[in-house]
Amino acid sequence: MDSFFARAYAAHRDGRLADAERDYRAAIEADPVHTDALHLLGVLRHQQGRHEEAAELVGRAVALRPDDAALQLNLGNALKALGRLDGAIERFRNALSLAPEFPLAHYNLGNAYAQAGRHEDAVDAFDRSLRLQPNDASTYNNLGNALHALGRTEEAIAAFSQALALRPGHAGAHNNLGMALAALGRADEAITHFRAALTAEPRYVAAHFNLGNTLDAVGLHAQAAAAFEAALSLQAAFPPALLGLGNALAALNRHQEAIARYERAVGLDPQLALAWLGLGNAHHALGAHEAALRAFDQALRLRPDLASAQLNRALTLLTLGDFERGLPAYESRLAIAAATNEHAAAEAAALPRWRGEPIPTKTLWIEAEQGFGDTLQFLRFVPLARARAGRVTLTVQRELAPLVAPLTNAWGVTLGIAGESAPQAHLHCPLLSLPLALGTRLETLPCSRRYLEVPPAYRRHWRGSLGGHAKVKIGLAWSGRIQAQENRAMSVATLAPLFELGGIDWLVLQPNLSKDDRRSLDLYARTASLHRLDTRIRDFADTAAIVDKLDAVVSIDTSIAHLAGALGKPLWLMLPFAADWRWFTNTDRSPWYPSARLVRQPAPGQWASVVEEVARAVSSEFPDKDR
């Protein structure tokens, strides 16, 4: 009997598992209550991943020798592998009641607590283990994970750092430290540790994945895509990595490629709501609006509270001109905005929401909520609201106040500055919610050729020449405030076909120019009549006074386009393939601005063809008499 067990133990120790199993069984056949053979055969089964058999064998050994802490520990290990965490925790505790200074039992108990989501208990267990063996890198690593799960990120970083001090090549600690640093916004340090994890363990799928997420979050989308591809090369059926790759490709405007990844992700995991959201966004970017709606609907079936899916579905509906469904859904934008400005949201939420009902004895606060262009565009609804309210206070961005003041005076509306103290009012309505409150439909958009006027003082200030001697003067804007967005910016070089037209003075309307823009403008000014006004523009009233003196404006989708439209100025509006919802689809005219001509990209990213079309239109509208 003992010879069978001795041979089995030696074989087990040497890794000859088949020989060990044979001799353990022989020992058990000779003595069915051979506790050590039952125990170690169970351990062998656990090593082989046959955890049910392991639990049965070690359980028999525990029944024979219940006061053996090692047996209790290994039964706990088998039960934990089976996901039977309550049973595992009980066995680890039994082991510690028998051997209170058993560091491995504290460590395994901590792991079981962590797997059960009991992170406070896990921290206590890991701390006890470290008091007994203070130089164990794995325990520090797992302690860091528990602390991170509790939101105690700085403490987690200290624990991971200690693990790395003890074992510098600990790939898991590098990866986990990277995640903790990323959670604190320390992306550069996080990336360094993810790369260190991959140096130590090149096939570490989680580190590739986490590296991809962090690179994508800081705008390094091409590098992120490569990291996700590396993760997928090691684990092809990995839906979160497919989602990440899709997001990175979409950020690179490679939407068709992104769709393929999103579709594979939802094929593998139909419950992955964020992949359905990404799929909807990619379809929308390619103009496949019905497919986008189907994807957004599926995302919302899975996660009805997913605000970004609610908002993007709303934007798609509005793009299609479906105000009846789109405007109520567009209210979802407010929840997203509230998450980034809790104080302002609290002030607004303190007042009841106005829904369009007559309030002849009450004061309504209308609050500008988005960009300058949004405010200029939606001002048209304020007098309609004023007709239903006893008093109205409108708050707008400080830069717009000088331009808007004459309007509000004419409407009998009090003007305030957004972001300052909330005005005294009975009800509140965000500016872009006025169409919903007023029951607006596409067919009933309030539209006039001109609804904005230049304040007289600004008109007098800009009475002189704007520069140049050509009879035709056209304003120009080619990028919005967020210049990194492909659909809000193009390079000055792309505008070259416009500068080749004779008989035109081009007036730069953008007040903030980059160094590259200035250099490019100076270069083109050698051959074209190109004039910068940026140092003379103080606010939007200045810009309005300039635009009012021009013959036309050529602009990308930015506040200057809305300003030109509101002044009734002829406007060529250069739009990306997936334009903002307010420009709708399949039309070169705007119900918002009758004076505008919409020129759209024929395919994503193709600004050159847009500029060429505008150049032909400008040449036709203003032929050069000297040519």
Side-chain angles (χ1 to χ4, degrees), residues 366-377:
I366 300 173
E367 181 184 18
E369 53 172 301
Q370 295 190 30
F372 299 130
D374 303 280
T375 301
L376 291 169
Q377 182 178 18

Side-chain angles (χ1 to χ4, degrees), residues 24 130 220:
Y24 282 140
L130 285 168
L220 298 173

Side-chain angles (χ1 to χ4, degrees), residues 207-233:
H208 284 295
F209 176 69
N210 292 329
L211 175 61
N213 283 329
T214 307
L215 290 166
D216 202 48
V218 297
L220 298 173
H221 305 300
Q223 293 182 47
F228 289 126
E229 291 277 19
L232 289 163
S233 70

Side-chain angles (χ1 to χ4, degrees), residues 228 232 236-247 258 260-262 264-265 268:
F228 289 126
L232 289 163
F238 188 1
L242 287 161
L243 167 62
L245 178 56
N247 290 341
R261 273 59 176 202
Y262 292 134
R264 175 147 172 76
L268 291 167

Side-chain angles (χ1 to χ4, degrees), residues 326-349:
L327 288 176
Y330 190 44
E331 295 296 283
S332 59
R333 76 192 185 280
L334 300 174
I336 296 173
T340 60
N341 192 342
E342 295 181 4
H343 175 71
E347 284 190 326

